Amino acid sequence: MIATPEPGLSARDIVERAVALRPALRERQAETEQLTHYPKTTHEDFLRAGFYRILQPRRYGGYEFGLPVFLRVVTETARGCPSTGWALSLTAAHVLQVASVFGERAQDEIFGPDGDFRAASTVAPVGIARPDGTGHVVLDGTWPYSSGAPYSTHYVGQTLTAPEKPGDPPGPPVLFVAPRPAWTVLDDWHGVLGLRGSGSNSVRLDQARIPEYLTLRATLLDLPVEGGSTGSALHGNPMYAGRAPSFFHSELAAVMIGIAYAAADEYARILPTRPLTLDPGRTRAGLDDYQRHLGEALGVIGTAEAALRRTAEDWMETCHRNAVGDAPFTIAEDNRLALTFLNAGRLAWDVLQRILFRTAGSRHARDGERMQRYFRDAATYWTHVGPSMAEPLAHRVGRDRLGLPSDDIPLIP
């Protein structure tokens, strides 16, 4: 057992800490983009606040607060700085999959003596896992878009099994956890439109040798959790018996909702400072149209957040039914939850680009303006592989409802 840093910390406490950090994160936005990852000061803030341990098992020094609390912290963080919220989410989240499916021996080693764990990842399998002696494998490859890599202690990656003989195709996918000494971060997160400070660098494993027990014949898109999991039994918490795709969509939606709130904050700041062209004694804040724009935006963002929170509770309930044997957490359930999360993020994106950015004025589309940054970040979110799953997810959910097979519809284009 690893001691939890603050045994009495409540869910309310940790959410309030995220709210309190928003002004500082907002002031660090430009620095974060320049560095291409959030500054060390922010990392230290997160360590003190316990943000990296929200989903981590108590057995290993975490808080086990659950998905609804995690998503509230992500939303508040992204409201302060979208890149920072993205990177926090995509490093503090992968503990859930590690704690769900890896065995006790692996988890004892991964979480080490103090429970210090943060892991970047990417969804695409890269390279080949080759056996190396007794009980070890060698990994070689470059895994791109590994958000949050600069502050990660581990890498959760996917690869393929080496073919049984030359000329054969690669074998089934392998999920692995590689400790920090096994990989390097490449300085290649430059020239992107948005999320410039998310630290989404490539990670390079150069003939890295890791124990075989840090690998698993599985994929993040289909973790072995139906009927309960290794982690739900080990930790006595149904949260560790959930599927990953819907969970990943919840993260993206939380970030997008945070960005939309940030844009609404900026819009409310802008209006009283913008004099009317033909009546400079008045500002846009006094015009009905702009008041309505802001009110409509806030209403839609609030609706998206309500959908996010309720679906997060639904996700937790689905995990519980799965772990206790009432109903399995099926791919069909995963599809349903993922599509709802995705639609919550889409609501936020639509209102940001359709109302807030469009009516803020062209002067706020300039470099260095926060509204421009929020639009760039949100547009980059919308090009991510997650939102690109909207059509196949809708297709799957429709076929599931009609009782037709949907497994032959690929989620990733």
Side-chain angles (χ1 to χ4, degrees):
M1 293 288 291
I2 298 171
T4 303
E6 295 179 87
L9 186 68
S10 70
R12 181 175 179 177
D13 291 336
I14 207 159
V15 172
E16 287 179 349
R17 288 177 179 181
V19 173
L21 270 174
R22 275 200 335 238
L25 298 180
R26 190 179 296 119
E27 291 303 313
R28 297 171 191 164
Q29 286 178 8
E31 180 187 8
T32 297
E33 285 199 339
Q34 184 178 14
L35 290 170
T36 73
H37 57 267
Y38 55 76
K40 186 177 180 182
T41 305
T42 297
H43 172 57
E44 291 169 349
D45 285 338
F46 290 170
L47 287 171
R48 285 191 295 270
F51 290 172
Y52 296 123
R53 297 176 183 251
I54 294 172
L55 298 172
Q56 193 159 313
R58 284 192 170 271
R59 175 190 181 110
Y60 297 116
Y63 295 107
E64 289 188 30
F65 279 141
L67 184 57
V69 174
F70 179 72
L71 296 180
R72 289 189 67 187
V73 170
V74 170
T75 298
E76 295 296 341
T77 304
R79 188 171 180 174
C81 174
S83 283
T84 298
W86 184 280
L88 170 66
S89 182
L90 272 69
T91 50
H94 297 114
V95 66
L96 195 64
Q97 292 79 54
V98 171
S100 294
V101 295
F102 281 88
E104 183 175 5
R105 179 186 182 187
Q107 292 194 39
D108 284 347
E109 179 171 322
I110 289 165
F111 293 110
D114 56 8
D116 191 31
F117 179 88
R118 299 171 296 282
S121 184
T122 192
V123 71
V126 172
I128 296 291
R130 302 186 182 280
D132 185 47
T134 304
H136 285 80
V137 299
V138 169
L139 302 167
D140 188 77
T142 300
W143 282 256
Y145 299 107
S146 301
S147 300
Y151 293 110
S152 290
T153 61
H154 294 74
Y155 191 74
V156 177
Q158 297 181 101
T159 185
L160 298 173
T161 309
E164 292 187 5
K165 55 185 179 181
D168 286 353
V174 174
L175 184 67
F176 66 86
V177 182
R180 186 64 184 82
W183 47 273
T184 56
V185 178
L186 304 185
D187 184 19
D188 61 355
W189 189 240
H190 304 281
V192 293
L193 174 68
L195 297 172
R196 294 176 178 175
S198 62
S200 299
N201 305 66
S202 296
V203 160
R204 172 69 188 162
L205 278 80
D206 188 6
Q207 299 296 316
R209 187 171 185 263
I210 66 171
E212 190 174 15
Y213 58 81
L214 295 183
T215 69
L216 191 70
R217 294 288 181 92
T219 168
L220 288 172
L221 295 179
D222 190 16
L223 294 176
V225 297
E226 287 198 24
S229 68
T230 300
S232 63
L234 177 63
H235 303 298
N237 189 332
M239 176 174 69
Y240 300 109
R243 286 190 172 272
S246 52
F247 171 79
F248 292 151
H249 281 283
S250 78
E251 294 182 77
L252 303 186
V255 172
M256 186 60 241
I257 290 166
I259 300 173
Y261 270 128
D265 293 340
E266 183 66 3
Y267 197 84
R269 186 193 69 80
I270 287 168
L271 292 186
T273 68
R274 288 294 305 274
L276 302 183
T277 303
L278 300 180
D279 189 358
R282 300 171 60 199
T283 69
R284 287 187 176 184
L287 294 185
D288 291 347
D289 283 347
Y290 288 94
Q291 297 163 10
R292 177 172 49 80
H293 290 327
L294 180 57
E296 182 180 350
L298 290 171
V300 173
I301 300 166
T303 300
E305 185 179 26
L308 177 72
R309 292 191 186 188
R310 180 62 193 94
T311 311
E313 293 169 359
D314 195 353
W315 190 89
M316 295 288 289
E317 291 163 7
T318 306
C319 289
H320 176 77
R321 291 192 296 270
N322 182 38
V324 302
D326 287 349
F329 200 139
T330 62
I331 292 175
E333 282 290 275
D334 197 37
N335 292 338
R336 176 183 66 84
L337 293 164
L339 186 58
T340 308
F341 282 130
L342 194 155
N343 283 334
R346 176 158 51 187
L347 279 174
W349 157 245
D350 284 348
V351 80
L352 188 154
Q353 56 92 18
R354 180 174 57 87
I355 296 178
L356 296 173
F357 182 74
R358 181 181 65 83
T359 66
S362 58
R363 73 177 63 181
H364 298 288
R366 293 173 180 268
D367 289 346
E369 292 288 340
R370 286 180 183 144
M371 188 63 79
Q372 188 225 55
R373 179 176 295 120
Y374 300 150
F375 179 79
R376 288 191 286 101
D377 291 341
T380 300
Y381 150 82
W382 197 241
T383 67
H384 188 268
V385 66
S388 74
M389 294 180 187
E391 290 187 1
L393 271 175
H395 197 177
R396 281 186 168 205
V397 170
R399 289 178 67 88
D400 291 338
R401 182 65 178 83
L402 293 169
L404 302 172
S406 63
D407 292 346
D408 60 340
I409 302 169
L411 276 180
I412 300 177

